[in-house]
Amino acid sequence: MKQYDIDTIYHLVALMSATGEQNPQLAWKLNMGSLHNILEIAREQELTRLFWPSSIGVFGPSTPRTETPQETILLPTTIYGVTKVAGELLCNYYFHKYGVDVRSIRFPGIISSETPPGGGTTDYAVEIFYEALKRKRYTCFLDKDTVLPFLYMPDCIKATIDLMKTPLSQIKRHDGYNVTGTSFSPEELASEIMKHIPEFRWNYRPDFRQKIADSWPMSIDDSQSRQEWGWKPDYDLPSMTQDMLERLSRRFAEGKL
Ligand code: SER
């Protein structure tokens, strides 16, 4: 930090929701330990700005599931969610106690064409693209009508950078801002992919991740982010699907996947 004169950190480390349930002790240690370390560094070094991602994992079965408000019940049933609620509180504390300018977004499921996801409940929405292109078949680990909120990576990056660029005087929250792109079910995503790959077939074999998905919101009210720092997504389900398939097809053709 001192040697390179670092003024901003994006601290993205975490064990995700599904992997967290396999090893809750490690999830707590890693997610909270690393955040605490970074907050301490930010305090000691008087860092200009720190970003830490929160998640829809902060919500639980008693949270309203549609248009989930910014301020609502936060009683998650996964250890991942517990670390995200505790993390939000710790960030807020460091801001008020020490003036650490930490900012955070409650990310929904993230879909990227570049990096395969690992250990999340929303991972199906990336796996399905690879399998549709490779084998024209996919077995989904969530049930067909499980609606969850998602964000395409270009929107995710835009949201993060826009939030970080906003003057401190406009930032009212240092816990986690609600942000969403578009909500859909596995059946809706698969049908959208089939418009591009007509031979694509899929079925469902829900596993332990179904319970996690059922405890999360179906849609998110992100109006505070829209008002305070101008959040607005560029992609919806059709444009995200088309872009994912174009990018992944190119990499397949080049032998890079
Ligand atoms: N994508 C994450 C997960 O599934 C949600 O934050 O765990």
Side-chain angles (χ1 to χ4, degrees), residues 21-41:
E21 289 313 289
Q22 312 300 332
N23 193 342
Q25 291 72 20
L26 178 63
W28 176 266
K29 203 170 152 196
L30 177 73
N31 295 9
M32 296 312 297
S34 66
L35 175 62
H36 186 240
N37 280 342
I38 294 286
L39 284 166
E40 276 295 287
I41 288 169

Side-chain angles (χ1 to χ4, degrees), residues 16-18 54-57 80 84 107-110 119-123 216:
M16 303 292 275
S17 59
S54 186
S55 160
I56 54 165
Y80 175 69
K84 290 298 182 187
F107 285 128
I110 304 292
T121 303
T122 54
D123 292 7
W216 285 354

Side-chain angles (χ1 to χ4, degrees), residues 177-197:
Y177 276 102
N178 278 9
V179 158
T180 189
T182 172
S183 287
F184 51 79
S185 66
E187 186 71 12
E188 285 164 331
L189 176 57
S191 307
E192 193 59 39
I193 293 172
M194 201 174 115
K195 289 182 191 165
H196 302 266
I197 307 173

